[in-house]
Amino acid sequence: MLKIDRYIMQQFLAGILPVLLLLLALFSFMALAEELEQVGLGNFNLPDAFMVVFLTTPKRIVELLPVTALLGGLLGLGAMANSRELIAIRTSGLSKRRIAQTVTVLAVFLGISITILQFSVVPGFEREAAQLRGKSLQGTEKGPGSTGAFWTRNGSFFIRVNEVRFDRTLADIEIYTADSKGRLSQLTQASSADYAGDNNWLLNGVVLSELQQTTVQETTQESMLWKGLLSAEQASVLVLPLEALAPNDLVRTIANLRRNQLDTHQYEIVLWQQISLLPSLLAMALLALPFVLNSVRSVSASQRVMLGGLIGIGFYLVQQLSGQLAGILGMNPSLVILTPPFILLALAIAAIRHRSL
């Protein structure tokens, strides 16, 4: 039976590969169109735009894999059904439950691949992409992971940042405050700064130096909130999007924000959306089976793919909507985001067991 299991997996993967390549090409083209709008700003040029699209490909693979599993399964296993291979396999004694177990094992391996990408590949590639995008800021080439100080100004504040880290933090910050006459009145130093959302930054290890006429009064604070440390344009380019962070970085940031009694809702939503990819992948892979395990000789491959595409798009929209609802209504992110994939998984298992869909 091991040869049959391997053959089923091979056919499933043979269906996934062309679908993944097609969807990647489509979404990469749309991403390229967005990057081309930045060409000519600062030092950002056409090769940089293509490189950014390439570097953001792992993130797109992670996001597309659940839907790809459904469409790929419909193509790969559907071809076996149309050629009556599945009928021959079941006649040989391989039950529907055994076929479902084989697909589950494959989905687990794909889930492991998603996890590896999320933890080790996506953050690094997104960091490099952000570093390239940083070239659009008037020739600035600073980005996450870059070292070497850069200066910026926000109203009466002159800000020096020594390092932009890949986990949405800045290191070794100095903020010079000028009075109405342009004279230095205060120096704020911080060992690091975490992005807290809504253009707010949480400064850690703060030293405040008040410059008076003849003396300097120095005070220390464990942390303080500072709004507008970077401009909206700088933050959008230099700070990685939440979705690009590894789950462990999200957990660390959530814990840090909670210690300082700051809102963590948006971070929790992104974390649970990343976690939900695993049950979503399993549910989508198993959902392909009810379409092909019964008599499908009268159903064309195009019809199956069209129906699968509608289900995949609908599920994707539901997942996005659940995240938005969790943020807007302040609902429990884990409950709202994990409910759709587990409902879909239950429906897929029930359809396999009762030969209906």
Side-chain angles (χ1 to χ4, degrees):
M1 290 298 182
L2 292 178
K3 288 185 178 181
I4 295 179
D5 292 332
R6 287 196 298 268
Y7 182 71
I8 293 173
M9 291 183 182
Q10 289 171 0
Q11 293 300 110
F12 205 111
L13 291 174
I16 286 178
L17 184 59
V19 173
L20 181 59
L21 292 177
L22 178 61
L23 292 179
L24 273 180
L26 176 61
F27 282 85
S28 296
F29 179 79
M30 292 189 292
L32 178 61
E34 294 181 3
E35 298 300 333
L36 289 177
E37 296 179 359
Q38 305 299 318
V39 172
L41 299 179
N43 291 333
F44 193 76
N45 52 38
L46 185 59
D48 293 330
F50 280 98
M51 183 56 68
V52 167
V53 173
F54 169 75
L55 291 172
T56 54
T57 297
K59 182 171 175 288
R60 277 190 290 277
I61 292 176
V62 169
E63 295 172 344
L64 292 172
L65 202 51
V67 175
T68 303
L70 172 59
L71 297 177
L74 291 176
L75 280 179
L77 299 184
M80 294 178 62
N82 287 339
S83 62
R84 302 187 181 183
E85 289 180 310
L86 282 180
I87 295 177
I89 289 174
R90 293 188 59 189
T91 303
S92 67
L94 199 68
S95 65
K96 290 192 302 180
R97 177 177 295 182
R98 178 60 183 277
I99 296 175
Q101 289 175 349
T102 301
V103 173
T104 299
V105 171
L106 178 60
V108 169
F109 280 111
L110 292 176
I112 293 173
S113 301
I114 282 182
T115 304
I116 293 173
L117 287 174
Q118 285 179 323
F119 274 91
S120 59
V121 179
V122 171
F125 275 47
E126 289 288 330
R127 179 172 69 248
E128 295 297 326
Q131 203 162 5
L132 286 174
R133 290 193 186 103
K135 298 170 72 173
S136 65
L137 292 177
Q138 301 299 325
T140 299
E141 297 187 25
K142 301 298 178 185
S146 63
T147 57
F150 75 90
W151 290 82
T152 185
R153 180 179 179 178
N154 189 351
S156 61
F157 304 111
F158 297 85
I159 303 165
R160 173 188 177 275
V161 178
N162 186 60
E163 182 181 0
V164 182
R165 295 175 179 169
F166 68 90
D167 56 351
R168 297 169 67 90
T169 63
L170 310 176
D172 191 10
I173 305 109
E174 295 177 352
I175 305 172
Y176 298 86
T177 306
D179 59 19
S180 58
K181 297 182 180 180
R183 296 176 299 189
L184 183 64
S185 61
Q186 178 179 284
L187 170 62
T188 305
Q189 298 171 288
S191 59
S192 64
D194 295 300
Y195 188 62
D198 195 23
N199 208 23
N200 291 315
W201 293 82
L202 180 65
L203 304 182
N204 303 301
V206 181
V207 178
L208 296 173
S209 301
E210 296 281 349
L211 280 69
Q212 302 174 356
Q213 290 184 349
T214 57
T215 61
V216 177
Q217 184 177 356
E218 189 174 281
T219 58
T220 60
Q221 292 182 216
E222 183 178 347
S223 61
M224 67 179 295
L225 201 62
W226 193 284
K227 190 173 184 65
L229 188 62
L230 299 179
S231 68
E233 182 185 16
Q234 289 171 325
S236 64
V237 173
L238 298 176
V239 178
L240 284 180
L242 280 177
E243 295 78 7
L245 294 182
N248 57 316
D249 290 326
L250 284 169
V251 170
R252 183 195 64 79
T253 303
I254 290 171
N256 188 27
L257 293 176
R258 281 178 176 171
R259 282 196 300 269
N260 292 275
Q261 299 181 340
L262 295 174
D263 182 41
T264 63
H265 209 65
Q266 191 60 39
Y267 289 82
E268 292 178 50
I269 290 173
V270 175
L271 175 62
W272 285 107
Q273 282 178 332
Q274 291 183 353
I275 295 174
S276 71
L277 288 172
L278 301 179
S280 298
L281 175 61
L282 178 59
M284 287 293 196
L286 289 178
L287 193 61
L289 290 178
F291 288 95
V292 298
L293 286 178
N294 299 316
S295 178
V296 295
R297 285 173 288 174
S298 60
V299 181
S300 66
S302 60
Q303 290 175 317
R304 285 196 301 268
V305 171
M306 181 178 296
L307 182 57
L310 291 175
I311 294 175
I313 293 172
F315 178 75
Y316 177 81
L317 293 177
V318 168
Q319 280 292 82
Q320 295 300 312
L321 181 61
S322 64
Q324 295 294 328
L325 287 176
I328 295 173
L329 302 179
M331 302 170 69
N332 187 314
S334 60
L335 179 63
V336 175
I337 294 173
L338 290 180
T339 296
F342 278 108
I343 290 178
L344 190 66
L345 180 60
L347 291 175
I349 295 174
I352 293 171
R353 293 183 61 182
H354 296 93
R355 304 184 181 184
S356 63
L357 187 65

